[in-house]
Amino acid sequence: MEALRNAFDFSDSPRVDLVIAAMVAVALLLFPLFSPSSFAIATIIQFFIFALYGMGWNTIGGYGGQVDLGKAQYVGIGAYTTAVMLIRWDIPFWVSMPIGMFFSITWSFIIGYPLFRLKGHYFAIATIATSLVLKDLFEIWDFVGAARGLEISPIKYSPPDFLRLIFKQDIYYYYVIFGFFLLGILIINWFRRSRLGFQLRAIKDNEDVARSLGINVHLSKVKTYAIATAFVSMVGSFHACYIKNIEPEDTMSLDISILIALMAMLGGAGSLWGPIIGAGVLIPLKSYLKEWLGARGGLVGIDLIIYAAIIMVISAREPRGIWGIVERVRRRKRL
Amino acid sequence: MPILDIRHLVKEYGGLRANDDISFTLEKGELLGVIGPNGAGKTTLFNCIAGLHPVTSGRIFFDGQDVTLKPAHEMARLGLARTFQVYTAAGDLTVVENIMVGCFLRTRSRKDARRRADGILYDLKLSDHADTLVSELPVPAQKQVTMATALGTAPRMLLLDEVAAGLNPSEIDDIMTSIRHIHNEMGITVMLIEHVMELVMNVCDRLVVLDYGHKIADGTPADIAANAEVIKAYLGERYVKEHAGELS
Ligand SMILES: Nc1ncnc2c1ncn2[C@@H]1O[C@H](COP(=O)(O)OP(=O)(O)OP(=O)(O)O)[C@@H](O)[C@H]1O
Ligand SMILES: [Mg+2]
């Protein structure tokens, strides 16, 4: 009960933040009614997806300071569980999604348990490695389509199919993921105010001190990693139904993992709104750059250079991202 | 039964014996000071007791229970809290949030943790700073916050590692007031490491002196100040002459 109350309690956020957040939420709610282009809708769906990935990453990576560069493996587990179950046994999304989460969390315990014995950079590298190994496995595993991947063909179903999450128009996907997005905010708000959230913040600051305050550092990290994983896996399941065509190279690539971490850090790791802001900046940039560059074949790859430049500027000027700048300006005004 | 019983404790770092066959006991309600020159092994002793570093040999009993190789988080749960010599408190968190981290050891409820933290803030006269970021506080207040955070875990015994280092005389007075409050009012057994002799001689019931990893003396402040070996190793002739009147 108290957990539920905490999830809805934003009283420690300044009122202007809440007013802005509410305005943005209403704008996002009404946006599809103004018959926007399908490109705009697709871009905003990508924003929701990556905002959710970022929120999940933020629990362990932001609040806990454990830089995780392997989130794509859980996108993959979620997406593949949902796709395989739907294609082979016609199991609906609302059943396969929690099962995918269960698989993801199980996998997160298996690798998190040893990985969290590692420190700092070693942890980051190890997460990349496990993610790549899993991707390679999926590439040779025939049951899940190996390198060809899987295709959910919509003609077999009669959209709109709310159970299987098969729709013809993107607008349905838009509202489903919007619902997840709002739910995600509530979960993160619970997390940051919970005992576990406090423990992770203490761990980020100094592990020896955290231990001396009675925190089982290893266990707290493993638990939080599972929460992060559940988020990503859930959205991975959604991704499968939305994209309908998944293959290891796209779904589980290192790019995805890096983009997730990058976005959260750009917006502000360890803050409630940071990952959302990060996705809000980078996803439109990425979409429009891709579209603009699509016409100029020779410039492929320049988007990566732009991201690298952004992250360099951010980390040199304000390691706590855009949200860090906001907070600093605010504090200066108060003093 | 003593609250703490240390028997033949040895701690080696590589070839270095930072603690060498140290034994002593501490009764409930005592206020013990640990003194000695730099590098004598005082912080090492705390790290061993608190379970942060595994001892090389010897035994440690806490409240009658053998806790020799218990990890730090379990020691905290058993009722042992500590502060750190060089560490202040989590700078990104506000004062009250820092203390809540400690309080969460005994409760899952945020409301409960907040209530306990407010009580400790009040006791240590820190209420005005509750919502300030620790990094924005002056150093003396930060030291008080580290004590408050340790108190958040509701300990039976508290280890303080040089909480008065670098403070001016009036700030030292404030710290002494806080230590006495923790000891007398809250009824917590205290063991403290300190180089500030004024504090040690004024608040401690008893002193243990370390030198090169050995315990070289154990007794009341007056005994210690008169101990030839301690004077030679640590206090120095000048200290004893200057304070001759106060100690007898
Ligand atoms: N983690 C460690 N690894 C290796 N050597 C250590 C470690 N901790 C302490 N030492 C060594 O053990 C010896 C005792 O150090 P310790 O920190 O216990 O001294 P101290 O009495 O607390 O000194 P000070 O008054 O300067 O704080 C020193 O020689 C120190 O270099
Ligand atoms: Mg020391």
Side-chain angles (χ1 to χ4, degrees), chain A residues 92-138:
Chain A
F93 170 82
W94 300 103
V95 176
S96 67
M97 180 193 76
I99 294 175
M101 280 161 83
F102 173 78
F103 287 152
S104 287
I105 289 173
T106 306
W107 179 241
S108 89
F109 284 142
I110 293 170
I111 67 166
Y113 210 83
L115 286 199
F116 282 118
R117 300 273 178 218
L118 304 173
K119 290 230 177 332
H121 300 307
Y122 297 106
F123 172 75
I125 292 165
T127 56
I128 296 178
T130 58
S131 196
L132 289 180
V133 167
L134 203 67
K135 175 176 150 259
D136 285 350
L137 269 176
F138 276 55

Side-chain angles (χ1 to χ4, degrees), chain B residues 13-14 16-19 36-45 47 53 85 161-162 193 195 210:
Chain B
Y13 292 114
L16 177 90
R17 279 207 163 195
N19 282 169
N38 292 114
K42 305 180 294 294
T43 298
T44 302
L45 178 67
N47 285 338
H53 295 175
Q85 185 171 347
D161 196 347
E162 298 200 23
I193 296 174
H195 287 293
L210 301 187

Side-chain angles (χ1 to χ4, degrees), chain B residues 167-175:
Chain B
L167 303 188
N168 70 32
S170 96
E171 291 159 356
I172 290 175
D173 275 347
D174 290 345
I175 284 272

Side-chain angles (χ1 to χ4, degrees), chain A residues 16-31:
Chain A
V16 326
D17 293 8
L18 300 177
V19 170
I20 293 173
M23 277 170 12
V24 171
V26 169
L28 287 169
L29 183 72
L30 301 180
F31 181 71

